[in-house]
Amino acid sequence: MKAICFYFQVHQPYRLRQYRFFDIGKNHNYFDDFANRTILRKVADKCYLPTNKLMLDLIEKYGSKFKIAFSLSGTVMTQFKEYAPEVIESFRKLADTGCVEFLAETYAHSMSSLKSETEFKRQVESQVAMVQELFGKTPTIFRNTELIYSDDISDMVAAMGYKAQLSEGAKHIMGWRSPNYLYTSASSPQLKLLLKNFTLSDDIAFRFSNQGWEEWPLTTEKFVGWLNALNPSEEIVNLFMDYETFGEHQWKETGIFDFLRKLPEQVFENSDFQFLTPAEVVDQFQPISPMHVRYPISWADEERDLTAWLGNEMQNEAFDRLYQLEEKMKNVSDPKLRHDWNLLQTSDHFYYQCTKWFSDGDVHKYFNPYESPYDAFINFMNVLADFKLEVDKHLADQKSSSGNIHEEIEQLEAKIKELKDLKVP
């Protein structure tokens, strides 16, 4: 038997409000609560709730034959709790079936893996704790933000005890090799790698409604025919995509829900593929070779690299300035500052600053609140300037408070000594 591994990324950022230069030092509320609530509710109604209901229907119809996997960022889970608790309940129903696997990732959907092993590990632990709290599951497979992967990152993931990591089957890395096998990290061989088949994944995620596409309309019969046409020796087809594909990127009117509803039946009746979760793929298949990735790759844009987030001077400046605060944040105890620190690391803030407005422009405009990447940069840097002032003020207050406590202790100790020296008549 061959395997289809269906994995979906679920994420929404906390978008920043319009923050002017003149707000610095005066207003410490950085996030647009109205926009975040409105967008989350919109996507919940168009995507999360109807797609979760459809997935539950498919599992009830086919039982353990139909299996899927999710990774949910901490920011989207927190927004579910705030704005749409019924979405959490719908994911719980899926979790209770035993046919759904939840993966680990960073809480803030951040790029901390590129900057700090300590911060990276802290965020992963926070996201995993939230998955355990909400769904009663403990992830054993890791998925980094935007499938960002390198040998160095795999070493950190392996050290945290994960069995496998998801990544992109990028052409410039794969060469003649196929993504349709299990691989291992070249530097940490105990870590298995599941690689996205970007052609078949993107046929659903990006090309499904494109009437200019030569393969439009995409039917389940056609898609399963492509699966059957693969080299007979190839074992696994990893279909990785944003969950918002269903109902948001591809609207209901395109027929995307009908396609998803009919796909399992077509697979079972006309192919020798089975649906497995990532953990099951790791358990049932043997890796064929190590994969060496010296420079980070991702699943974004045509280049499959980091240029969507760190491709210009603005992005790099903002990214470096943000992580210059890491050492200070280790001493910050204020819950609001800690929460803001998490949310400011979300990769979307840097994505909005991207200047690649060519073949990938439509992707970069998705729920983008800015008219230009320059506006996104200025807004972020204004927020970051105020945040730094607040962090410095908090640390100064902590130091002053700590100094006062030490003075009081010294005074009390002197008083005790004085009393001990008194001669009782």
Side-chain angles (χ1 to χ4, degrees), residues 194-209:
L194 288 82
L195 306 180
K196 172 187 168 186
N197 183 311
F198 66 83
T199 300
L200 292 175
S201 297
D202 293 354
D203 286 341
I204 299 173
F206 295 114
R207 290 183 280 273
F208 185 85
S209 60

Side-chain angles (χ1 to χ4, degrees), residues 42-56:
K42 175 178 180 287
V43 183
D45 292 337
K46 291 184 66 176
C47 169
Y48 303 140
L49 291 171
T51 313
N52 279 0
K53 176 62 169 60
L54 176 53
M55 293 298 190
L56 188 62

Side-chain angles (χ1 to χ4, degrees), residues 174-194:
M174 300 305 297
W176 56 269
R177 295 176 297 181
S178 167
N180 301 331
Y181 296 97
L182 191 64
Y183 291 85
T184 66
S185 161
S187 54
S188 294
Q190 71 273 30
L191 185 76
K192 309 300 188 297
L193 298 178
L194 288 82

Side-chain angles (χ1 to χ4, degrees), residues 14-195:
Y14 279 83
R15 293 165 180 85
L16 298 171
R17 72 175 187 86
Q18 184 178 359
Y19 196 90
R20 301 170 304 164
F21 174 80
F22 299 103
D23 291 324
I24 298 173
K26 299 176 182 178
N27 191 323
H28 316 307
N29 295 316
Y30 308 132
F31 302 96
D32 190 334
D33 294 336
F34 177 78
N36 291 322
R37 181 186 299 107
T38 301
I39 292 171
L40 195 282
R41 285 299 330 175
K42 175 178 180 287
V43 183
D45 292 337
K46 291 184 66 176
C47 169
Y48 303 140
L49 291 171
T51 313
N52 279 0
K53 176 62 169 60
L54 176 53
M55 293 298 190
L56 188 62
D57 290 344
L58 291 173
I59 291 172
E60 290 175 347
K61 180 176 181 179
Y62 297 108
S64 60
K65 293 176 64 179
F66 182 70
K67 298 177 180 179
I68 55 178
F70 296 103
S71 71
L72 289 81
S73 68
T75 59
V76 82
M77 288 189 282
T78 302
Q79 289 188 72
F80 288 157
K81 293 169 71 173
E82 293 176 333
Y83 308 136
E86 68 272 30
V87 176
I88 292 178
E89 184 57 33
S90 69
F91 275 109
R92 281 183 180 141
K93 290 179 179 178
L94 286 170
D96 290 343
T97 66
C99 296
V100 175
E101 181 178 0
F102 291 86
L103 310 187
E105 70 158 75
T106 58
Y107 173 90
H109 199 72
S110 76
M111 297 184 291
S112 53
S113 60
L114 303 173
K115 277 291 188 180
S116 167
E117 182 173 0
T118 301
E119 180 64 19
F120 177 56
K121 183 178 180 181
R122 183 192 69 80
Q123 286 200 25
V124 174
E125 290 174 346
S126 295
Q127 188 266 358
V128 168
M130 205 164 190
V131 171
Q132 292 170 330
E133 171 199 344
L134 295 179
F135 310 118
K137 304 294 182 181
T138 300
T140 62
I141 309 295
F142 183 76
R143 184 269 189 195
N144 200 17
T145 302
E146 307 296 342
L147 293 190
I148 293 173
Y149 177 86
S150 70
D151 292 340
D152 290 341
I153 294 171
S154 76
D155 293 341
M156 293 188 288
V157 173
M160 285 189 280
Y162 290 99
K163 299 195 299 184
Q165 181 172 347
L166 275 55
S167 186
E168 172 67 50
K171 286 182 180 179
H172 67 280
I173 296 297
M174 300 305 297
W176 56 269
R177 295 176 297 181
S178 167
N180 301 331
Y181 296 97
L182 191 64
Y183 291 85
T184 66
S185 161
S187 54
S188 294
Q190 71 273 30
L191 185 76
K192 309 300 188 297
L193 298 178
L194 288 82
L195 306 180

Side-chain angles (χ1 to χ4, degrees), residues 332 389-403:
V332 169
L389 289 175
E390 286 298 286
V391 169
D392 290 341
K393 180 177 180 295
H394 171 75
L395 293 177
D397 290 344
Q398 277 190 163
K399 184 176 181 180
S400 175
S401 175
S402 175

